Amino acid sequence: MVDSHIHTEFSSDSEMKLQHGIEHGTKLDIGMTITEHLDLKFPTGTDFTFDIDKYFKDYEKYKSSKLMLGIEIGMQLNCIEENREIINKYPFDYVIGSIHAADGEDIFNPKSYEGKSKSEFFEQYFSSMVDCVKKYDFIDSLGHIDYISRYATYKDNEINYLEFKEYIDEVLKALVHNGKVMEINTRRLKNVEAYKNLVQVYSAYKQIGGKYVTIGSDAHYAEDIGNNFTVASRICQVCDLKPVYFKNRKMEFI
Ligand SMILES: [Zn+2]
Ligand SMILES: [Zn+2]
């Protein structure tokens, strides 16, 4: 397997040393793709960015058949061209496109949910995702479709497929149409409700024509690399999807 979503110390919210990550990955005998955070024009007014030249300079020597260098970009409509330029400029193996902000609201921040019903905020989240997935034609995979479920402040935070079908299907159709894949983010897979809902989402992806998924732990600590990968494999089997990873921006089969 390849863990296609890992943050080391180049990401502002991780202190992981690459060396520790490599030690852990070697112990598990899995490949790894490093995907540092780049969130331009974030609602808080700051760019969450990193020194990409230094990233390649420091990590280039660790690249191998089992270690790839990628990036996770935060997709928003106000920075498409800036992101495109960066992706074109550097030799990334893999690009995750993620929604960390919806219509100028930080999804991580509990204040963003104040005074809004679940359906109101989730619809805002999914419409941003629909718009971005259509326009970000230079990503490889859509990251954590259930990101909002980690931080929303409602009693039920799940992205219930039937409730948001209209939006989710549009996201999935746009991905398939643009030849992009979806990530299975393993962060929430121990949660039974999350698992049940996600199986519905990935089944819909298959129905709509999706064939491939990347699998990523979103690890910010070495010990989290490869977390819940057996559950992710089960989703692949249940939904008949093939796990893949990317090298030199090309899909590779596992
Ligand atoms: Zn993310
Ligand atoms: Zn991430």
Side-chain angles (χ1 to χ4, degrees):
M1 290 301 257
V2 175
D3 188 334
S4 295
H5 194 152
I6 296 170
H7 298 278
T8 73
E9 60 187 336
F10 277 94
S11 294
S12 52
D13 59 353
S14 172
E15 288 171 8
M16 192 202 300
K17 298 278 177 215
L18 179 62
Q19 204 54 48
H20 289 157
I22 292 175
E23 280 163 24
H24 201 79
T26 308
K27 232 190 300 174
L28 297 174
D29 195 25
I30 58 173
M32 310 194 301
T33 306
I34 309 301
T35 51
E36 308 293 12
H37 276 299
L38 180 80
D39 277 88
L40 299 178
K41 298 191 183 168
F42 207 64
T44 45
T46 36
D47 282 349
F48 286 101
T49 182
F50 63 102
D51 186 341
I52 305 176
D53 290 306
K54 190 169 169 16
Y55 172 59
F56 280 104
K57 198 168 149 268
D58 291 2
Y59 286 3
E60 190 78 62
K61 56 178 172 286
Y62 297 102
K63 268 183 92 164
S64 69
S65 58
K66 290 190 125 182
L67 191 112
M68 283 63 70
L69 298 180
I71 188 168
E72 177 183 19
I73 54 170
M75 299 189 291
Q76 291 189 87
L77 290 179
N78 59 0
C79 50
I80 300 174
E81 292 316 312
E82 291 90 330
N83 275 310
R84 188 196 301 277
E85 227 169 84
I86 290 168
I87 298 312
N88 285 339
K89 190 173 161 196
Y90 293 95
F92 294 109
D93 283 303
Y94 173 56
V95 179
I96 303 177
S98 292
I99 297 291
H100 296 134
D103 241 343
E105 303 260 29
D106 176 4
I107 290 159
F108 175 77
N109 187 348
K111 284 211 172 74
S112 303
Y113 301 90
E114 277 172 15
K116 286 195 182 111
S117 68
K118 178 184 175 183
S119 56
E120 210 177 326
F121 200 94
F122 275 49
E123 280 170 20
Q124 186 176 328
Y125 169 71
F126 281 120
S127 349
S128 297
M129 199 182 283
V130 168
D131 292 342
C132 287
V133 164
K134 284 181 180 167
K135 296 209 165 102
Y136 276 73
D137 54 1
F138 49 92
I139 63 164
D140 297 313
S141 185
L142 170 68
H144 47 51
I145 192 166
D146 61 334
Y147 180 73
I148 196 168
S149 308
R150 295 185 194 171
Y151 305 114
T153 54
Y154 308 105
K155 219 163 142 197
D156 166 18
N157 285 331
E158 291 306 324
I159 51 163
N160 302 300
Y161 176 64
L162 290 179
E163 194 178 344
F164 303 105
K165 184 180 186 316
E166 188 192 326
Y167 295 93
I168 295 175
D169 283 355
E170 213 179 328
V171 169
L172 304 178
K173 275 180 201 155
L175 284 173
V176 171
H177 181 261
N178 291 346
K180 310 301 173 192
V181 310
M182 248 185 125
E183 171 187 81
I184 298 181
N185 192 287
T186 64
R187 176 83 71 97
R188 303 181 61 251
L189 294 185
K190 274 215 180 80
N191 176 324
V192 179
E193 278 312 303
Y195 174 81
K196 278 197 257 172
N197 271 301
L198 288 168
V199 163
Q200 286 189 295
V201 171
Y202 289 100
S203 301
Y205 173 57
K206 172 76 188 185
Q207 290 262 305
I208 281 168
K211 293 190 180 87
Y212 311 109
V213 282
T214 53
I215 301 178
S217 65
D218 215 346
H220 288 65
Y221 299 94
E223 310 76 64
D224 291 335
I225 292 170
N227 248 358
N228 300 329
F229 267 45
T230 40
V231 188
S233 299
R234 200 186 314 146
I235 295 180
C236 290
Q237 276 169 6
V238 171
C239 302
D240 191 20
L241 293 165
K242 285 195 176 62
V244 297
Y245 68 100
F246 283 78
K247 194 170 183 64
N248 291 322
R249 305 296 311 276
K250 284 202 187 76
M251 199 193 283
E252 302 277 346
F253 294 93
I254 289 169

